[in-house]
Amino acid sequence: MLYQKIAYASYIVIQFLATRTTGGTIYVSSSGSSPTCTGTSCTVYCDGSANEINCGSVSTCDVIVTKDGCLEQGTLRAQSNGQILTASCRAKDCFKEGTIYLPPYGSATLDVTSASDGGAYQKTDIFTGDKTTLNLNCNAAGKDECKRTRVYGENARFVKVSVASGAMFEGSKDSEEKRAYIKCPQNSDYSGPYNAPCILDANGGSIDKTTVWASEGTPADFIIEGSVSSDAVDLYCYRSSSWVLVDYNSPGTCYRTRAPTAAPTTTKAPTKQPTKRPTKQPTENPTKQPTKLPTKGPTITPTAKPSAAPTSSPTDRLTETPTQSPSDKPSKAPTTVPTEKPTEDSAEQQVVEEGETSTTGAAFVQNDDPGEDKSTFLNLGFSELELYMVACTLFIIYTCCILGWVILRKMKDYKKKRLPNENDEEEVREDSASRQQFN
């Protein structure tokens, strides 16, 4: 018995530490009536009597109600920024006459499953945070499910209430305090996929005695998917500094579309500018510059013979040449005649100042003295790659010769060492034969 008590106490301590470090799983029946989640994620099973469940600062909080009356007239707090809340009612009177606070800049999904036996979210006040995304799913057909539920979503980003077949979302009487109502998001930045930031999905469910506040009216801020009977939904919209009440099926002044109509007319300005600029620049620049520079330089330089020594820097000659017309001919012959016959590659030579290198079509050499021919045997017609291959071949042949000579020497030395041993064996044989004859 003592061993079992120690084991059970150890288990309780381990579970307590786990829920305080990583979030883990919390059971209301063993943790008390007001558990608080810690860590990164948390799952709370409301299997006992709970007054308040606090999701703390965890990123993901799941609350599953499995006991009748759990959190009845209680409070569920999920008020951490960016939090993801999921609450599932699987028992009778889940959150009945309770209060739920939803996370700002987060999302919340509140469900009623078929395991509930009525009263889920009845007279429940649901407060959204800033930019909250809320999905309230009234999916069960139990008695008084989602009856007189009040959703305060003025600051939310998106609110959707779905009523499944056989379920309801309605009030009890025509008096305002006993009606079910939804306050839709105001000035929401919601952009889709739905056409409005506030949706009441009435496909198959019963909707009656419901009041909706939508500042811009319908379909700008509020849309009912499906059909509702006349006078089932009262719609308030904000017009001329006051709230105007209309029937949803006859919105009148509360009818306003969400998408503005004036903005598309501003697309006229971009249609003018592209028609002006591209028609001028492409016809001016390409017709002037490309026709002058490429045609002048090549027609003058190849016909002129190189002079003995340049009289000016190459940059001066290049800047002066384009001023002549391509059809003009030089009026005078060169004043000086080169003393040496130009080489065959004279058309590819470039005149440089003294002390710099000159490049020819055959090889690259350093000309310190213009009268001295310092070209190597590359001028014989061999390329650098061919000379490199010849050098490599000669080196391989030389290496093979050296290796062959070394192998021959080793073989001769081996034979010299092997012959004396064979002669000794023959002498031993002759000595043994002579001894046998003597005996």
Side-chain angles (χ1 to χ4, degrees):
M1 295 294 294
L2 180 61
Y3 174 79
Q4 292 179 352
K5 290 181 180 180
I6 294 173
Y8 180 75
S10 301
Y11 172 77
I12 295 299
V13 172
I14 292 173
Q15 290 294 323
F16 177 79
L17 294 176
T19 56
R20 290 299 181 268
T21 56
T22 60
T25 303
I26 297 176
Y27 293 90
V28 173
S29 59
S30 60
S31 61
S33 59
S34 300
T36 300
C37 293
T38 59
T40 57
S41 62
C42 181
T43 301
V44 181
Y45 284 92
C46 192
D47 56 348
S49 178
N51 298 325
E52 179 177 321
I53 294 178
N54 195 332
C55 291
S57 59
V58 299
S59 59
T60 303
C61 184
D62 297 331
V63 179
I64 302 173
V65 179
T66 59
K67 182 176 177 58
D68 293 347
C70 183
L71 284 177
E72 183 177 356
Q73 297 181 350
T75 303
L76 171 60
R77 296 184 183 275
Q79 296 175 284
S80 179
N81 288 344
Q83 204 167 51
I84 299 174
L85 171 66
T86 302
S88 179
C89 286
R90 303 179 183 178
K92 186 177 180 180
D93 296 334
C94 167
F95 296 109
K96 181 179 180 180
E97 298 182 8
T99 304
I100 302 176
Y101 296 96
L102 303 183
Y105 304 97
S107 63
T109 302
L110 309 180
D111 289 327
V112 181
T113 66
S114 58
S116 175
D117 193 20
Y121 300 108
Q122 182 181 3
K123 301 180 183 179
T124 303
D125 293 330
I126 302 173
F127 294 90
T128 64
D130 293 337
K131 306 298 182 182
T132 304
T133 298
L134 168 63
N135 286 279
L136 174 60
N137 301 317
C138 300
N139 300 323
K143 182 180 179 181
D144 295 334
E145 305 275 8
C146 295
K147 189 171 184 178
R148 293 174 60 181
T149 303
R150 296 177 287 269
V151 178
Y152 299 88
E154 303 96 318
N155 299 323
R157 183 173 182 266
F158 176 76
V159 172
K160 181 181 179 182
V161 178
S162 300
V163 184
S165 177
M168 68 173 65
F169 186 86
E170 58 185 29
S172 60
K173 294 183 179 180
D174 289 334
S175 59
E176 191 66 34
E177 64 274 7
K178 294 183 178 181
R179 294 174 66 91
Y181 56 82
I182 303 171
K183 290 191 175 182
C184 292
Q186 298 180 11
N187 301 319
S188 174
D189 59 352
Y190 180 77
S191 59
Y194 294 96
N195 295 326
C198 191
I199 304 294
L200 180 57
D201 187 353
N203 290 313
S206 175
I207 297 178
D208 192 19
K209 298 180 178 65
T210 300
T211 303
V212 177
W213 279 265
S215 60
E216 294 298 325
T218 183
D221 277 356
F222 174 69
I223 294 176
I224 295 180
E225 292 185 348
S227 59
V228 294
S229 60
S230 179
D231 298 330
V233 177
D234 290 342
L235 176 63
Y236 281 93
C237 65
Y238 198 74
R239 296 289 183 271
S240 301
S241 302
S242 62
W243 289 94
V244 179
L245 174 62
V246 298
D247 179 21
Y248 177 80
N249 292 324
S250 301
T253 58
C254 287
Y255 181 85
R256 179 175 295 179
T257 59
R258 184 173 178 83
T261 57
T265 59
T266 58
T267 57
K268 292 182 179 181
T271 59
K272 295 180 179 180
Q273 295 180 359
T275 57
K276 292 181 179 181
R277 294 181 181 178
T279 56
K280 291 183 178 181
Q281 294 181 358
T283 57
E284 292 178 358
N285 295 335
T287 56
K288 293 181 179 180
Q289 295 180 359
T291 56
K292 290 182 179 181
L293 295 178
T295 56
K296 289 182 179 180
T299 57
I300 298 176
T301 303
T303 57
K305 296 182 180 181
S307 59
T311 59
S312 61
S313 63
T315 57
D316 295 334
R317 295 177 61 188
L318 291 176
T319 56
E320 295 174 1
T321 302
T323 58
Q324 298 179 1
S325 174
S327 60
D328 295 340
K329 296 182 180 180
S331 58
K332 294 183 181 180
T335 56
T336 59
V337 179
T339 57
E340 295 180 3
K341 184 179 180 180
T343 61
E344 296 178 356
D345 299 322
S346 61
E348 298 178 3
Q349 291 182 347
Q350 296 179 356
V351 180
V352 297
E353 295 181 359
E354 186 176 358
E356 297 181 355
T357 59
S358 62
T359 306
T360 63
F364 181 77
V365 297
Q366 183 76 20
N367 289 334
D368 294 333
D369 187 359
E372 183 180 359
D373 187 7
K374 289 189 176 182
S375 61
T376 62
F377 56 89
L378 294 176
N379 288 325
L380 297 177
F382 296 98
S383 64
E384 292 183 1
L385 179 60
E386 291 174 345
L387 291 176
Y388 177 75
M389 294 175 63
V390 171
C392 291
T393 304
L394 293 176
F395 177 75
I396 294 171
I397 294 173
Y398 176 76
T399 304
C400 292
C401 292
I402 295 299
L403 292 175
W405 180 77
V406 172
I407 293 171
L408 290 176
R409 290 294 302 271
K410 294 293 183 180
M411 292 178 64
K412 289 180 180 180
D413 294 340
Y414 176 76
K415 288 181 179 181
K416 289 180 180 180
K417 293 179 181 180
R418 183 68 178 170
L419 289 175
N421 295 332
E422 294 177 354
N423 293 333
D424 294 340
E425 292 178 359
E426 291 178 358
E427 289 179 359
V428 171
R429 292 175 184 173
E430 291 176 358
D431 186 22
S432 62
S434 61
R435 287 180 181 180
Q436 291 178 0
Q437 291 177 0
F438 178 76
N439 293 330

